[in-house]
Amino acid sequence: MKKVITLALALSAICLWISTPNDARAEANGEKLFMQHCNVCHPSGGNVIKPQKTLHKGERTVNTVEEVVGKMRNPGPGMSTFDSNFLPDSDAKAIAEYILKTF
Ligand code: HEC
């Protein structure tokens, strides 16, 4: 009986995953990756190294996914470089979308 319940739970988890729209999944992934790679220096979209260079709308100088990814690939002084070996384009785009939507 225990096995049946475990199996039923596993199946419903899989169904939930499959029925989650792609967008929502990318969004969650973008947030997770941001927390992992960017949040140390950009907590809540701020900037602990250069306080005037935030990620907030109206303050940031980049406003498209391409431009934000460009900053990861080729950042300004004080920010670590995130090249495509380290952070593939799909992950970089998910982070960029998260930033543009959130801050
Ligand atoms: C070691 C600290 C550090 C980390 C980690 C870091 N950044 Fe930055 N970031 C900075 C600094 C410092 C600047 C300002 C650079 C400059 O003067 O141009 C900056 C600037 C930026 C800008 C440009 C803001 C603007 O308006 O010009 C973007 C976009 C950005 N970071 C995104 C990210 C993303 C995305 C990540 C994670 C993948 C990340 N940063 C990780 C320190 C960091």
Side-chain angles (χ1 to χ4, degrees):
M1 192 60 197
K2 233 182 178 177
K3 262 189 192 154
V4 175
I5 293 173
T6 312
L7 193 68
L9 280 177
L11 273 177
S12 45
I14 292 168
C15 290
L16 195 68
W17 170 251
I18 291 170
S19 62
T20 306
N22 261 333
D23 273 10
R25 227 182 290 165
E27 211 171 290
N29 199 33
E31 179 174 11
K32 199 183 88 195
L33 291 164
F34 181 86
M35 292 304 165
Q36 206 174 328
H37 300 296
C38 322
N39 200 53
V40 257
C41 296
H42 297 291
S44 308
N47 192 326
V48 297
I49 310 235
K50 273 197 194 167
Q52 72 277 22
K53 287 272 187 177
T54 78
L55 305 181
H56 292 285
K57 196 176 182 173
E59 293 181 357
R60 61 174 183 247
T61 61
V62 284
N63 290 295
T64 65
V65 167
E66 288 70 31
E67 286 173 331
V68 176
V69 172
K71 284 285 177 186
M72 294 182 232
R73 304 304 190 214
N74 194 7
M79 175 165 153
S80 9
T81 302
F82 297 87
D83 68 25
S84 55
N85 291 324
F86 181 74
L87 206 62
D89 278 346
S90 55
D91 286 359
K93 278 187 189 153
I95 295 176
E97 278 160 12
Y98 170 75
I99 290 174
L100 296 177
K101 226 179 259 178
T102 311
F103 303 124

